[in-house]
Amino acid sequence: MTEHAITAEHRAKFAASLEYWQDELSLRDWRIRLQTRPARKTVMAEISIDLEARLAKVGLSTAWPMEPTDQELDDTALHELLHVFLKPLLEAAKGDNDLLTGSVEHSVINTLERLLSRK
């Protein structure tokens, strides 16, 4: 399989996409950092999330199995930030506090409504 190297330009575009989606997903209360340490070679990107600290660290692989187009970089940034977006809901759902789960669920719904209702 051919590998396609991730360049400094790709990293810059990926970082810009992280910024864009952080705004779009209403995640400005999170510190989202693109790590210098690359993701594992078996993935295009990976994320570690510390819910209490509201900190997410994103690693970008040094090579991808496909051409790293602007769209692929953007889609990958969105994918990683959706993990952050859903983390509070997933954690709330693990507990037995229906009020908290409902509150977080509505936060997710409100953001999705805003994004999906654009024309």
Side-chain angles (χ1 to χ4, degrees), residues 9-76:
E9 182 180 348
H10 293 129
R11 284 184 60 81
K13 287 179 179 180
F14 184 78
S17 288
L18 288 174
E19 285 278 328
Y20 174 80
W21 287 114
Q22 184 176 6
D23 283 340
E24 290 299 301
L25 295 171
S26 301
L27 297 173
R28 274 289 148 209
D29 58 334
W30 282 80
R31 291 174 295 142
I32 297 174
R33 305 289 183 256
L34 178 56
Q35 298 296 290
T36 55
R37 190 176 114 237
R40 295 171 286 134
K41 283 195 169 208
T42 57
V43 298
M44 295 186 304
E46 62 189 350
I47 193 162
S48 65
I49 300 170
D50 182 336
L51 184 59
E52 270 188 48
R54 308 289 279 185
L55 173 65
K57 298 176 183 177
V58 183
L60 188 62
S61 181
T62 57
W64 284 13
M66 83 277 290
E67 182 67 32
T69 65
D70 290 354
Q71 187 63 55
E72 289 290 343
L73 291 161
D74 190 61
D75 290 349
T76 302

